[in-house]
């Protein structure tokens, strides 16, 4: 299996410094700062990248689980909101809220929710983040056609 990489450079002090983060694939490179991480400044931050990783992993893993259960998902859309808070003298990612909507023909709500809950516990990124509370809100949507 492949090994994936990310790279970051930070220059200066925590509050006045700045940095860049980039994906090993070259698909993304962007600036980050104290303001983009702990306030509402421009740029990215590690938590945003963790959110994208969790949302992407969850959507793919849910597709796999549904397929293995005999369903053919048409579309799965997931947002992961990563919460970072001041805890003691430092900061901690305290929780991640997953919100997913899926269009899956022929599945009932109960089975869909069961699949989504199993995915939350077993997708590789969720497992890597096991020390963080991950909350799930899953919604089955009907096709417009």
């Amino acid at each position: 299996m492949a090994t994936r990489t990310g790279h970051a450079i930070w220059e200066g002090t925590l509050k006045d410094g700045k940095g860049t983060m980039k994906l090993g694939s070259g698909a993304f490179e962007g600036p980050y700062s104290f303001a983009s991480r702990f306030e509402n400044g421009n740029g990215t931050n590690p938590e945003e990248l963790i959110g994208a990783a969790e949302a992407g992993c969850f959507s793919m893993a849910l597709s796999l689980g549904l397929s293995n259960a005999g369903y053919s998902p048409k579309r799965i859309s997931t947002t992961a909101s990563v919460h970072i808070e001041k805890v003691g003298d430092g900061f901690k990612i305290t929780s991640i809220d997953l919100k997913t909507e899926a269009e899956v023909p022929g599945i009932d709500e109960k089975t869909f929710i069961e699949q989504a809950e199993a995915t939350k516990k077993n997708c590789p990124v969720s497992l890597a983040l096991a020390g963080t509370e991950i909350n799930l809100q899953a919604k089955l949507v009907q096709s417009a056609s």
Side-chain angles (χ1 to χ4, degrees):
M1 297 299 295
T3 299
R4 305 297 182 204
T5 62
H7 180 77
I9 296 174
W10 185 261
E11 298 171 325
T13 64
L14 175 64
K15 289 232 178 183
D16 298 324
K18 62 183 175 161
T20 58
M21 291 188 288
K22 67 180 179 178
L23 305 181
S25 66
F28 170 83
E29 181 173 349
Y32 73 117
S33 66
F34 182 88
S36 71
R37 189 167 190 197
F38 300 107
E39 298 168 354
N40 289 317
N42 293 330
T44 190
N45 54 69
E47 292 72 29
E48 186 174 61
L49 297 174
I50 288 170
E54 176 69 359
C57 183
F58 181 88
S59 291
M60 287 180 77
L62 181 55
S63 177
L64 174 64
L66 290 165
S67 296
N68 286 345
Y71 301 97
S72 296
K74 285 189 171 189
R75 182 174 187 276
I76 299 169
S77 174
T78 305
T79 300
S81 299
V82 179
H83 302 274
I84 185 167
E85 298 177 28
K86 182 104 167 90
V87 177
D89 291 336
F91 293 89
K92 179 180 179 184
I93 294 173
T94 54
S95 64
I96 298 172
D97 296 329
L98 282 177
K99 185 174 184 179
T100 193
E101 291 187 0
E103 185 180 340
V104 187
I107 196 170
D108 62 84
E109 186 83 18
K110 179 179 181 284
T111 303
F112 173 72
I113 298 297
E114 288 170 355
Q115 288 291 321
E117 286 291 343
T119 300
K120 179 186 88 167
K121 295 174 189 162
N122 296 308
C123 95
V125 174
S126 291
L127 290 171
L129 299 171
T132 301
E133 179 181 344
I134 300 175
N135 304 304
L136 173 66
Q137 179 182 352
K139 180 180 179 183
L140 182 62
V141 296
Q142 302 300 320
S143 175
S145 54

